[in-house]
Amino acid sequence: MSMINKTAVLGLFRRCIRCAQKIPDANTRAAYVIHIRDGFHRRANLPHDSREALMAYRDGIDQVEQMEYYHAQMKIKRDTATKSNIHPVTTPTKSKIESSASSTDNANNGILIEQWLVNQLPYLNKKDANKYSE
């Protein structure tokens, strides 16, 4: 079993806080910061070589990677929306028909993504989950 050193735990804490600071809604952001601090404080007295410490560290890594992934997806979505506003493209009628068919698929995917987000991130505000899944 590997030992978790204090530097790695502190790095994970900072990474979690930085990730939480990117949440758009102020109330949700504050709730996540409190949740992060509380989680780290509750586990502060675990022995560094214990199985519980290792599992808590791995769980923290998984959670922060999920949040970073969704922040990256949101940034990509914002960037593509900005690009589409800058360079409007006229499309033929056939493309408009195909895009309207694919928009229903996108709406269904958005609902699935929103449900998954709510399950994976219990403190995520419903409005933010909707924003991430659009």
Side-chain angles (χ1 to χ4, degrees):
M1 184 180 331
S2 68
M3 189 167 140
I4 306 297
N5 64 15
K6 197 172 190 174
T7 309
V9 173
L10 187 58
L12 176 60
F13 178 75
R14 289 179 180 153
R15 190 173 162 194
C16 289
I17 294 294
R18 274 194 304 267
C19 195
Q21 294 301 327
K22 294 178 185 178
I23 296 173
D25 182 58
N27 292 331
T28 307
R29 183 174 47 245
Y32 268 92
V33 169
I34 290 169
H35 177 71
I36 291 165
R37 286 184 179 147
D38 181 54
F40 276 87
H41 284 295
R42 278 185 286 130
R43 293 172 182 87
N45 294 327
L46 288 176
H48 295 296
D49 58 348
S50 71
R51 182 179 305 252
E52 292 85 12
L54 181 63
M55 296 306 292
Y57 181 78
R58 287 181 181 168
D59 186 47
I61 292 289
D62 289 343
Q63 289 181 24
V64 77
E65 284 176 351
Q66 288 176 2
M67 278 300 284
E68 287 171 342
Y69 172 79
Y70 286 103
H71 286 307
Q73 293 302 312
M74 192 65 183
K75 184 179 183 312
I76 290 169
K77 186 179 254 186
R78 271 191 310 246
D79 292 347
T80 56
T82 305
K83 287 178 185 176
S84 67
N85 289 339
I86 294 172
H87 304 288
V89 178
T90 57
T91 56
T93 311
K94 184 177 180 182
S95 295
K96 288 182 182 178
I97 293 170
E98 290 171 356
S99 69
S100 67
S102 68
S103 69
T104 58
D105 292 339
N106 289 341
N108 290 337
N109 288 339
I111 292 169
L112 292 174
I113 291 170
E114 183 177 348
Q115 291 171 350
W116 187 85
L117 276 171
V118 170
N119 287 335
Q120 292 296 317
L121 305 168
Y123 291 101
L124 186 64
N125 186 330
K126 182 77 170 168
K127 189 167 50 170
D128 286 337
N130 189 17
K131 227 185 263 185
Y132 279 108
S133 63
E134 288 178 339

